Amino acid sequence: MRILGIESSCDETSAAVVSGTAAAPSLESLVILSQDVHRIFGGVVPEIASREHLTAVVPVTRQALADAGCALGDIEAIAVTHAPGLVGALLVGVSYAKSLAQSLGIPVLGVHHMEGHLFATALEHPTATPPFTALLVSGGHTMLVDVPEWGAYRLLGETRDDAAGEAFDKTAKLLGLPYPGGRHIEALARSGDPTRFRFARPMLHGGQRPGDADYYDLSFSGLKTAVLHAVRASADLESDRPHLARAFQDAVLETLVAKTLRAARAEARTRIVLGGGVACNRALVTAMEAAAREIGATVFAPSVRLATDNAAMIAAAGLFRLERGERSGPELNAHSSRPMPGLIDAGAATH
Ligand code: KG4
Ligand code: ZN
């Protein structure tokens, strides 16, 4: 099957062509247009995002088709992100996908953005397939999920406040770095001395036992406040900035790695799959790899283009569901928040 994927949930307009089968997907093209305008405002402005998607969605799709060397008539189905995200932004992709599918007489399927992130890594690493432990860390979500098979997702833990990427972005702001700040913190942290500052590892301590409500859950807002206090207390912020960035990043990474390893060990998984924008962080990948080695597990991380928001992952997740016969009807709509299909709260019994 040859599928056109469309993604417009936040500030990237993206289209991709993926062909083959869900078990062996082949990425034929991927176009990602990032909306730089939001940098001026230090965060995504929803109304502006929607308007930018409107001007970009048609040319971005045309380019993805051209890069794949195919015409509209070669596309057999369309997969589009329909949740979660900014409703106005999602609506642009959903409306366009629905009308295009209608005019071509082909099926359309609404895909959950986070399920897309789960599929992204397998596009580059054919063995990044279930069963695996997944850590999804993006600007809007932080989820620790056990994946026994595609379509079956056991939510072990999630953030109780800020998402990991959001914590990077807010901390970057406190340190006077541009938006989005994740990669700037990572770059600054490289020259930071890890012994100059130390922040408590959020929701992580040795006394936690499986079944405890906070065993897998995460939290980042307290850490952000700790950075704020350290910034205020600093006598020489300019020279302290790299050390603060390093201390913040070390605290986030140690928590993410420890909780992911707990999950992999508990479920006896030998594969750990990372996804979402924060998975671009090389220090995270390196720390996760070192810890995974101790339990004989392999870490799979997507490249930058597939870690951040993109339509290839939406097409890949769509391919899996279309193969199972799933289709969306004309009522397909955009939703700001909606549970991932197949997700069960495995921590519910203990919360
Ligand atoms: O998955 P994504 O592109 O969009 C959402 O679905 O939210 O993730 C964007 C997030 C931003 O918060 C950004 O700061 C973060 O990913 N990010 C990073 C790095 N690169 C991007 N965080 C830490 N280190 C990085 N190198
Ligand atoms: Zn995302």
Side-chain angles (χ1 to χ4, degrees):
M1 205 186 291
R2 182 176 279 120
I3 294 191
L4 171 67
I6 295 173
E7 152 70 36
S8 70
S9 66
C10 192
D11 57 347
E12 262 91 26
T13 317
S14 179
V17 176
V18 168
S19 64
T21 61
S26 165
L27 179 56
E28 296 195 19
S29 69
L30 172 59
V31 178
I32 306 171
L33 191 68
S34 290
Q35 302 177 355
D36 280 347
V37 58
H38 303 289
R39 283 184 197 178
I40 301 166
F41 305 101
V44 178
V45 184
E47 178 62 25
I48 296 177
S50 312
R51 286 166 191 261
E52 295 266 315
H53 285 305
L54 263 182
T55 45
V57 72
V58 174
V60 163
T61 302
R62 281 212 187 107
Q63 191 60 49
L65 291 168
D67 289 355
C70 65
L72 273 176
D74 301 321
I75 299 297
E76 291 160 89
I78 302 176
V80 60
T81 310
H82 75 127
L86 303 170
V87 163
L90 286 164
L91 265 177
V92 176
V94 168
S95 313
Y96 178 60
K98 277 165 72 171
S99 17
L100 191 56
Q102 172 82 16
S103 70
L104 295 170
I106 58 174
V108 62
L109 182 72
V111 170
H112 193 281
H113 181 82
M114 298 312 289
E115 187 173 33
H117 277 301
L118 277 179
F119 275 80
T121 313
L123 278 167
E124 292 173 317
H125 303 280
T127 52
T129 50
F132 61 73
T133 300
L135 176 69
L136 298 183
V137 271
S138 70
H141 294 83
T142 303
M143 297 165 79
L144 187 57
V145 187
D146 183 56
V147 183
E149 57 180 331
W150 289 130
Y153 311 121
R154 300 176 54 244
L155 180 66
L156 298 173
E158 58 189 330
T159 181
R160 295 192 182 172
D161 38 60
D162 292 352
E166 192 180 354
F168 268 95
D169 295 340
K170 288 178 176 170
T171 300
K173 211 172 204 171
L174 292 175
L175 296 178
L177 300 169
Y179 172 87
R183 64 191 171 88
H184 299 288
I185 295 232
E186 180 178 13
L188 195 59
R190 271 188 216 118
S191 57
D193 176 350
T195 62
R196 286 289 302 279
F197 294 92
R198 191 180 196 284
F199 298 118
R201 277 45 181 154
M203 276 217 215
L204 183 69
H205 57 88
Q208 290 167 324
R209 296 284 164 258
D212 290 353
D214 58 359
Y215 190 66
Y216 290 125
D217 270 353
L218 300 146
S219 161
F220 298 107
S221 74
L223 175 59
K224 177 191 65 192
T225 309
V227 177
L228 173 67
H229 289 311
V231 165
R232 286 194 179 145
S234 169
D236 183 359
L237 186 58
E238 201 40 48
S239 70
D240 280 345
R241 282 190 331 147
H243 313 311
L244 287 166
R246 177 64 188 263
F248 163 80
Q249 181 171 277
D250 283 354
V252 173
L253 301 197
E254 193 176 318
T255 304
L256 291 176
V257 169
K259 302 232 165 177
T260 307
L261 264 289
R262 281 179 182 176
R265 209 179 271 124
E267 310 297 330
R269 302 298 183 213
T270 55
R271 289 189 281 269
I272 293 170
V273 172
L274 308 182
V278 182
C280 295
N281 189 296
R282 290 311 303 169
L284 169 65
V285 178
T286 306
M288 194 72 80
E289 282 171 346
R293 222 170 283 132
E294 287 176 22
I295 61 161
T298 309
V299 175
F300 297 94
S303 65
V304 170
R305 271 167 76 71
L306 289 175
T308 50
D309 290 349
N310 69 85
M313 67 186 198
I314 302 304
L319 185 54
F320 160 71
R321 295 202 167 270
L322 284 155
E323 257 181 20
R324 300 209 310 185
E326 292 182 31
R327 306 283 186 265
S328 295
E331 71 286 353
L332 176 63
N333 206 344
H335 306 272
S336 59
S337 143
R338 162 169 281 224
M340 189 156 78
L343 188 77
I344 53 161
D345 191 347
T350 59
H351 284 191

